[in-house]
């Protein structure tokens, strides 16, 4: 059981991990200079407890820590109890969810390892908006996507805002960077039996529902809202698919387009 | 061509329609007490110009008004030109899109009239979040939904934030309130040859892709994220459909679920 320790002083060094959270995404003292993994609210904290990320501590108001007491039964890290004012002063803003947890990052898995046993994966190029990335992970989790691979120019899924918008699902859906030359790095997908289907609004692409992808091993290649996929990425795909759209309408939001595509290739 | 008039004084009464926009959604002086229709940015202003809403005026920085000059060729309302500071002072916040237009509301069409010639419509119950409602209209426009009917407890699609999040598509997709007793008011759909399909996460519902709705006249009945549809609305539907989801995952965002459903019933 986590030991509960009361903290009255917002400057208490034991809660330094929670200090100035709006500026917490750069941590030059941590490996890679990236921030810790931060979960906000009971639901997301539970997902962090179930994740592979090594928990460091929790900080919450008494009511929220009590709500988590069963979840914390087997957990051996400090839990700091504070009132809402002390928390807000340390964190830098009022937290209406009343509880936070922090964890260390974990080594990122190898893409080939994630692909073993997977049927549908998403491969992202240039998805650099933290909220869109978080929503995309939420949709991936809901619609049974087995893994997400991050090509060039993607944001960090473990950025605090992505974790929150994803409702903690970035902690659940396995992901890995796809390193090496781009788009040559896509070969790992073909080598593992996946067809790489690039999503594009281009009229000559096949409507995704008619592309014969249901039940197949498929890697959906998705670009950012606005610019979309680069010509190089489009050319490297095995096929190009589109979501049929009304004329004169701009594209869908990337996380929404991803959801439509995930559903369209899901097992029946 | 709209007459361009320079305005230097943020208190100028000619730009009163633009005053304190963050508080502009209550207009006791207007019919029904509701705010004017407000479009922000070149793209959304263009959609307002193409809409049935009677334009009152525009307010913009010189560069943005110049960008709209072709669109304003046949438009006979005043266009007020101001610098960014004057605009920000009048409006109450800095507008990075540089142009606004206001229009009067228009009489709402009769639901039966909207259904004539429609194939896919969305019927909403309790969708009371302005951003979700705006996103839903954006998705409806992109995915070829012909009309939106608003059941009880829905927000006002013409609220400023909904217009913005929809990227102006609430000005394009026809909508009407579905008045009268609920859910009895759904009869207008059946009377017009529509099958009413309620979207629910319930396990016993039919996966939407297997419900035989492609190419049919279908009314998708959608409830708010969280509570979902009321038991009365679910009972009044002709069939219940679901988006297959991974176990242990909360529902999708309502606008995202709507997008998946719209695509699933779209004509091939």
């Amino acid at each position: 059981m986590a030991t509960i320790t009361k903290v009255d002083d917002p400057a208490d060094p034991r809660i330094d991990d929670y200090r100035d959270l709006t500026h917490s995404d750069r941590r030059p003292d941590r490996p890679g200079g990236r921030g810790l993994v931060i979960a906000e609210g009971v639901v997301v904290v539970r997902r962090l407890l179930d994740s592979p990320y090594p928990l460091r501590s929790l900080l919450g108001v008494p009511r929220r820590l009590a709500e988590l007491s069963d979840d914390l039964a087997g957990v051996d890290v400090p839990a700091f109890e504070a009132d809402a004012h002390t928390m807000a002063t340390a964190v830098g803003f009022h937290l209406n969810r009343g509880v936070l947890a922090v964890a260390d990052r974990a080594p990122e898995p190898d893409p080939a390892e994630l692909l073993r046993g997977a049927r549908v994966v998403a491969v992202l190029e240039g998805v650099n908006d933290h909220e869109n990335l978080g929503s995309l992970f939420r949709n991936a989790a809901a619609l049974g996507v087995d893994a997400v691979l991050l090509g060039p120019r993607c944001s960090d899924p473990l950025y605090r805002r992505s974790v929150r918008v994803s409702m903690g699902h970035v902690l659940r859906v396995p992901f890995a960077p796809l390193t090496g030359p781009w788009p040559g790095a896509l070969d790992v997908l073909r080598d593992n039996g996946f067809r790489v289907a690039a999503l594009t609004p281009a009229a000559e692409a096949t409507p995704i529902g008619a592309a014969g992808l249901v039940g197949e091993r498929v890697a959906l290649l998705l670009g950012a809202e606005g610019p979309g996929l680069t010509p190089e990425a489009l050319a490297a795909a095995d096929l190009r698919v589109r979501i049929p759209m009304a004329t004169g309408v701009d594209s869908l939001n990337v996380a929404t387009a991803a959801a439509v595509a995930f559903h369209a290739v899901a097992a029946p």
Side-chain angles (χ1 to χ4, degrees), chain A:
Chain A
M1 170 68 197
T3 325
I4 294 189
T5 309
K6 284 204 180 179
V7 170
D8 299 317
D9 177 6
D12 192 316
R14 291 174 299 179
I15 59 167
D16 274 355
D17 280 349
Y18 302 91
R19 202 163 307 292
D20 298 328
L21 280 194
T22 51
H23 302 100
S24 63
D25 296 299
R26 293 270 172 279
R27 282 287 300 257
D29 58 314
R30 308 288 316 159
R34 294 182 304 177
L36 296 165
V37 184
I38 296 167
E40 302 174 51
V42 168
V43 169
V44 182
V45 167
R46 283 197 180 118
R47 295 209 167 109
L48 183 59
L49 292 170
D50 284 342
S51 80
Y53 302 102
L55 198 70
R56 290 162 66 92
S57 69
L58 296 100
L59 170 65
V61 298
R63 185 164 149 230
R64 296 296 169 219
L65 289 180
E67 216 174 317
L68 286 161
S69 62
D70 285 354
D71 306 278
L72 295 176
V75 169
D76 191 25
V77 300
F80 300 106
E81 186 182 292
D83 61 28
H85 177 74
T86 304
M87 276 183 77
T89 308
V91 163
F93 54 90
H94 177 73
L95 270 157
N96 48 22
R97 293 192 174 143
V99 66
L100 293 161
V102 294
D104 284 310
R105 288 175 180 252
E108 278 157 338
D110 183 62
E113 190 186 310
L114 287 191
L115 295 175
R116 218 168 291 140
R119 193 186 74 75
V120 177
V121 301
V123 183
L124 312 184
E125 185 197 47
V127 178
N128 55 13
D129 176 283
H130 288 113
E131 301 203 0
N132 281 344
L133 189 64
S135 300
L136 192 150
F137 269 86
R138 180 185 174 188
N139 297 342
L143 296 162
V145 170
D146 299 302
V148 175
L149 297 178
L150 305 166
R153 292 169 288 101
C154 289
S155 316
D156 173 10
L158 296 178
Y159 184 90
R160 189 174 61 91
R161 200 145 42 98
S162 297
V163 175
R164 193 184 55 214
V165 172
S166 81
M167 297 179 73
H169 290 300
V170 297
L171 308 171
R172 231 178 109 113
V173 178
F175 66 88
L178 205 53
T179 51
W182 182 259
L186 291 169
D187 286 343
V188 69
L189 291 150
R190 277 181 286 263
D191 294 347
N192 284 275
F194 284 78
R195 292 178 75 194
V196 179
L199 194 69
T200 163
E204 65 273 22
T206 310
I208 188 164
L213 297 173
V214 176
E216 296 290 303
R217 294 188 89 184
V218 54
L220 283 164
L221 183 57
L222 304 161
E225 196 174 337
L229 290 166
T230 58
E232 297 71 34
L234 280 168
D238 299 313
L239 71 163
R240 279 156 288 287
V241 294
R242 65 181 167 89
I243 296 168
M245 296 238 225
T247 48
V249 178
D250 359 42
S251 63
L252 292 166
N253 163 284
V254 61
T256 305
V260 170
F262 297 157
H263 176 257
V265 304

